[in-house]
Amino acid sequence: MSRQGFQRRQRLEGEIRSLLAETLLQSVNDPRLEAVVVSSVSLNRDGTHAVVYFSVIGDDERERQAADGFKAAAPFLRRELGRKLRVRSLPSLEFERDGSFAYADRMERLFDQMNADGAIKPVDEAAGDDS
């Protein structure tokens, strides 16, 4: 894929993310989608399919509710994208929970535990060490 094609896809992914986030805030009244954040979008090479990654604070039940809300709202969201985007073919939408926030939280807890056990130095102590 050419650099220009890659940059175009990145711009389109950002535009889709932005439009979906705006639509969720302004036009979707489903309580299952309240406090849900669209964190990123990944388009396939030909732009026919987009995976929309979302974040939600809560347990597995809250995640399931958000996924159900997206499933119900998908036709509306795709229609709204079609009205606002200027593309030849509108991608199909698939919604998945973004696991990066849970992963970051898990890593933070592991580092805190390692710090408490003395396995690593706190950041402020390590910064002052010139060795």
Side-chain angles (χ1 to χ4, degrees), residues 52-76:
V52 179
Y53 294 96
F54 66 91
S55 300
V56 61
I57 296 175
D59 57 4
D60 290 338
E61 176 62 20
R62 179 70 180 105
E63 176 185 341
R64 187 190 61 72
Q65 290 173 353
D68 290 346
F70 272 119
K71 187 174 183 180
F76 171 76

Side-chain angles (χ1 to χ4, degrees), residues 23 25 27 33 39 59 61 68 75 83-84 97 103 117 128:
T23 303
L25 283 173
S27 304
L33 295 176
S39 52
D59 57 4
E61 176 62 20
D68 290 346
R83 286 186 336 104
K84 297 174 182 176
R97 182 160 186 195
Y103 178 78
D117 294 345

Side-chain angles (χ1 to χ4, degrees), residues 59-125:
D59 57 4
D60 290 338
E61 176 62 20
R62 179 70 180 105
E63 176 185 341
R64 187 190 61 72
Q65 290 173 353
D68 290 346
F70 272 119
K71 187 174 183 180
F76 171 76
L77 293 170
R78 189 166 187 264
R79 197 167 43 252
E80 288 298 301
L81 279 179
R83 286 186 336 104
K84 297 174 182 176
L85 274 180
R86 301 209 184 264
V87 292
R88 279 189 201 138
S89 63
L90 200 59
S92 61
L93 301 176
E94 176 184 348
F95 297 92
E96 290 186 18
R97 182 160 186 195
D98 185 353
S100 63
F101 294 107
Y103 178 78
D105 181 55
R106 180 171 171 253
M107 295 304 296
E108 182 72 27
R109 283 187 274 121
L110 285 171
F111 286 135
D112 287 345
Q113 182 63 44
M114 290 173 67
N115 186 23
D117 294 345
I120 59 173
K121 293 180 183 180
V123 173
D124 52 340
E125 286 180 25

